[in-house]
Amino acid sequence: MTPAELSRTVLHAVCRAVEDGALRAPVPESVRIERPRPGGRGDYATNVALRLAGPAGRPAGDVAAVLKERIGRTGGIERIEITGPGFLNFTLAGSAQQRLVQTVRSQGAQYGDPLPGTDFPHPDEVRARVWAETLVRLGARPLDGEGVTVVPAPRGDLFATLGNDAARWALLAAAAHDRPRTEDLLVQHERNPLHKVRYAHARARALGRSAERLGFGAAPDAYVDAPALTTAVGDHPEVVAGAARLRAPDRLARHLDVTADALLAFQHTVLPVGDEKPSAAHRSRLALAEAAGTVLAGGLSLLGISAPEYL
């Protein structure tokens, strides 16, 4: 079970508790899942019971107990504990992360890749054309003849000035109501989000090549303590679906930025250091890093942007 799946599971438990009268409180739009705070236990935790305690007029511990009973019927969770004033702490079944990574490895470029959508009406303007074409890639379908409405691109030929990749990132990474940012997109530095995403993808591929030279390959044999990167990989299909549903390719661009940050922070743990021998932990870390590389390549492809193996 990924953090995104756990969030949906907890939210579903809240809905069931409200529907059957065990809890009288408004259902939140989302449930935040995070690493346990000091004093917590397990892999992940949520404060949703504390959020619902006031509206429900009950102690947070009681609310947590109501939710624990309903969540506990779900597979993929090994143990649920209530700590502090009412935090729900989850220990996931050991194979959940491995299943996620194996899914990405088996699906490859098809992981999170939607079926093509339907053409969107759009004005004859470069940014609108790029958005319309990208929405089709994301699997979006217009409702009641809706068209693409975006702040137009700056004057001038961005594609001639920046090239295809940087021009598309400029036109897609900003929200529809924001002006596209065109400066510094050719700068080879992590402050440039396009460079960072493409560099992180290249680093994932480089890690695989280095591991091969050291005589080992990727295999999701063990749990890897990398919640930010695991969450980013697990959330990818949902992010793509949300970008299509909300007609917002900028959401995918932001997710790729987050995934790149998590991978670049994690990459230093992947390969053995000094005389250290490759182990199951190294193989598992490499598998997670390569899964993140797959997410970055797939997301860039949906935006019509290349993902070089070397950068």
Side-chain angles (χ1 to χ4, degrees):
M1 177 175 289
T2 68
E5 292 171 335
L6 180 57
S7 175
R8 292 192 294 270
T9 296
V10 176
L11 185 59
H12 186 54
V14 173
C15 292
R16 291 205 312 270
V18 170
E19 289 171 357
D20 62 24
L23 189 63
R24 297 184 180 277
V27 177
E29 291 186 4
S30 62
V31 171
R32 183 177 179 182
I33 300 295
E34 56 189 355
R35 296 290 286 175
R37 299 179 182 181
R41 302 189 185 95
D43 300 312
Y44 296 101
T46 180
N47 67 348
V48 67
L50 282 77
R51 291 171 53 196
L52 296 175
R58 299 173 62 179
D62 289 355
V63 176
V66 169
L67 298 179
K68 176 182 176 181
E69 178 185 357
R70 285 156 178 79
I71 300 168
R73 303 167 188 166
T74 304
I77 300 175
E78 182 177 304
R79 185 168 63 255
I80 306 174
E81 299 172 88
I82 300 172
T83 61
F87 289 98
L88 283 164
N89 294 252
F90 305 93
T91 299
L92 303 184
S95 62
Q97 184 189 65
Q98 290 94 300
R99 287 199 302 271
L100 168 64
V101 175
Q102 189 57 54
T103 296
V104 180
R105 287 168 59 82
S106 62
Q107 294 184 5
Q110 278 67 54
Y111 177 67
D113 196 16
L115 295 174
T118 305
D119 288 342
F120 275 72
H122 59 274
D124 186 18
E125 188 275 328
V126 61
R127 191 181 185 205
R129 290 198 301 273
V130 170
W131 269 61
E133 172 237 309
T134 303
L135 289 175
V136 174
R137 275 205 193 96
L138 292 172
R141 298 177 180 276
L143 302 174
D144 300 324
E146 67 176 318
V148 172
T149 303
V150 293
V151 172
R155 293 181 180 276
D157 189 343
L158 289 182
F159 286 85
T161 304
L162 299 176
N164 178 77
D165 292 336
R168 292 186 69 88
W169 183 272
L171 298 175
L172 295 169
H177 56 271
D178 290 334
R179 291 185 60 81
R181 173 201 160 197
T182 59
E183 66 276 7
D184 297 331
L185 286 177
L186 299 180
V187 175
Q188 303 292 297
H189 193 281
E190 287 185 24
R191 68 174 177 268
N192 171 6
L194 172 60
H195 172 73
K196 178 171 61 178
V197 170
R198 284 156 48 100
Y199 174 68
H201 167 262
R203 285 298 304 145
R205 301 303 178 227
L207 289 170
R209 294 191 296 269
S210 296
E212 185 176 0
R213 287 194 293 271
L214 291 172
F216 76 98
D221 296 331
Y223 174 78
V224 178
D225 187 15
L229 189 56
T230 302
T231 299
V233 172
D235 283 352
H236 179 64
E238 185 177 350
V239 169
V240 172
R245 184 178 65 255
L246 298 172
R247 288 41 164 183
D250 55 294
R251 288 177 169 253
L252 175 56
R254 288 195 294 274
H255 176 66
L256 296 180
D257 194 3
V258 169
T259 304
D261 278 333
L263 177 56
L264 291 174
F266 173 75
Q267 62 168 327
H268 308 291
T269 70
V270 173
L271 299 177
V273 177
D275 295 332
E276 190 178 11
K277 300 297 183 183
S279 65
H282 294 111
R283 292 192 295 272
S284 298
R285 292 173 196 148
L286 177 60
L288 179 58
E290 290 186 345
T294 298
V295 165
L296 293 173
L300 287 170
S301 177
L302 288 172
L303 297 179
I305 297 171
S306 67
E309 296 276 325
Y310 299 85
L311 196 62

